Amino acid sequence: REVSLMLILTQRLSHTARHLPKGQAAVFLPDSTTLDSRLCFHTDLRVFGDGNNIICAPSVYDTLKESLPKDINIIKGDSEPEGCYPNDVPYNGVTVGRFLIANPKTLSPLILDYAKAEALTLVPVKQGYCRCNVTVVSHKAGKEAIITEDKGIASTLEKQGIEVLLIPHGGVSLEGWDNGFIGGASVTTDDSVIFFGDLSLHPEGEKISDFCLKHGKNPISLLQGDPL
């Protein structure tokens, strides 16, 4: 079948492949050997993506280069995320339209240089796990929209004119912590927001679904009956 987008996921989510929407395929990465064992399967700690441009940890560069379509520009990063914060978040920034949302103190200089070259507006925040904390719903200029549980990110982005759905913590499972983050439990395509788990089980599931639909995105739950 024709594939419109390649998602970059972890092998731990390979069982979800049969549930991916039509036109979607995935590259599955092995666990990291340098990150905390509870976070070693988190793709967003090793891969920064902006449209057809990717900056990634050296350990996954060859896999992505071999697996992704040739029109995607893949840049090998200059460091391997490792250990605990802040050494595990050099690739954990997120683009929303023409904005780069990140903590510049913890982000890889390569990504900061990329943002400058691409004329992205850097919006600095204190949260180092920025990509984990943000689900981008709309990249459209002037209609940018995100979902987050982080009050600091929400306040900062609203000042930039970005529409924010701020939800309370809870409803996302992450072993070893009281809760995970909505950004780490979702990925956005051209026409959908895909959630890893059952969105209806989230306390704010209906609000999240309505927000996605408002911005022309179809909310999709990959696994029925499982928490995000």
Side-chain angles (χ1 to χ4, degrees):
R1 68 188 183 184
E2 181 180 352
V3 174
S4 60
L5 181 70
M6 299 288 285
L7 307 179
I8 303 171
L9 307 174
T10 171
Q11 285 181 351
R12 296 197 191 192
L13 285 173
S14 60
H15 63 292
T16 68
R18 65 182 182 277
H19 301 294
L20 289 174
K22 184 178 181 180
Q24 309 296 329
V27 174
F28 294 102
L29 301 178
D31 289 355
S32 168
T33 59
T34 57
L35 288 167
D36 183 308
S37 61
R38 297 167 297 178
L39 301 175
C40 64
F41 56 95
H42 288 213
T43 304
D44 45 19
L45 292 180
R46 289 181 286 170
V47 180
F48 167 83
D50 176 36
N52 279 350
N53 297 291
I54 286 175
I55 301 174
C56 66
S59 61
V60 297
Y61 174 80
D62 288 342
T63 298
L64 296 180
K65 194 72 175 177
E66 294 169 1
S67 305
L68 292 176
K70 302 304 179 186
D71 61 342
I72 295 180
N73 178 37
I74 305 172
I75 302 169
K76 182 186 289 188
D78 55 358
S79 63
E80 195 69 35
E82 59 183 5
C84 299
Y85 185 85
N87 297 322
D88 57 348
V89 292
Y91 302 98
N92 212 258
V94 59
T95 57
V96 185
R98 299 306 297 172
F99 298 97
L100 169 64
I101 318 302
N103 183 336
K105 295 180 180 179
T106 60
L107 197 67
S108 166
L110 276 179
I111 298 178
L112 294 173
D113 290 344
Y114 166 82
K116 185 175 181 179
E118 294 294 317
L120 297 176
T121 298
L122 173 64
V123 180
V125 295
K126 294 181 180 180
Q127 175 61 260
Y129 293 100
C130 194
R131 173 63 187 87
C132 301
N133 271 274
V134 172
T135 295
V136 179
V137 178
S138 174
H139 280 286
K140 293 180 181 178
K143 296 183 179 180
E144 296 93 349
I146 67 108
I147 304 169
T148 186
E149 299 106 339
D150 190 290
K151 292 181 179 179
I153 290 177
S155 175
T156 300
L157 297 198
E158 285 175 338
K159 292 175 183 177
Q160 296 291 334
I162 297 172
E163 186 174 355
V164 177
L165 175 62
L166 177 63
I167 59 175
H169 288 286
V172 179
S173 174
L174 179 58
E175 184 180 352
W177 282 268
D178 292 337
N179 51 262
F181 301 130
I182 192 70
S186 60
V187 63
T188 304
T189 72
D190 289 341
D191 56 11
S192 304
V193 181
I194 300 172
F195 294 92
F196 300 104
D198 191 338
L199 181 60
S200 69
L201 298 181
H202 192 285
E204 302 295 322
E206 187 173 349
K207 286 184 180 179
I208 293 170
S209 178
D210 289 345
F211 190 77
C212 292
L213 291 170
K214 173 184 176 182
H215 290 278
K217 296 296 176 69
N218 182 32
I220 295 175
S221 297
L222 281 191
L223 297 173
Q224 301 298 321
D226 286 346
L228 300 188

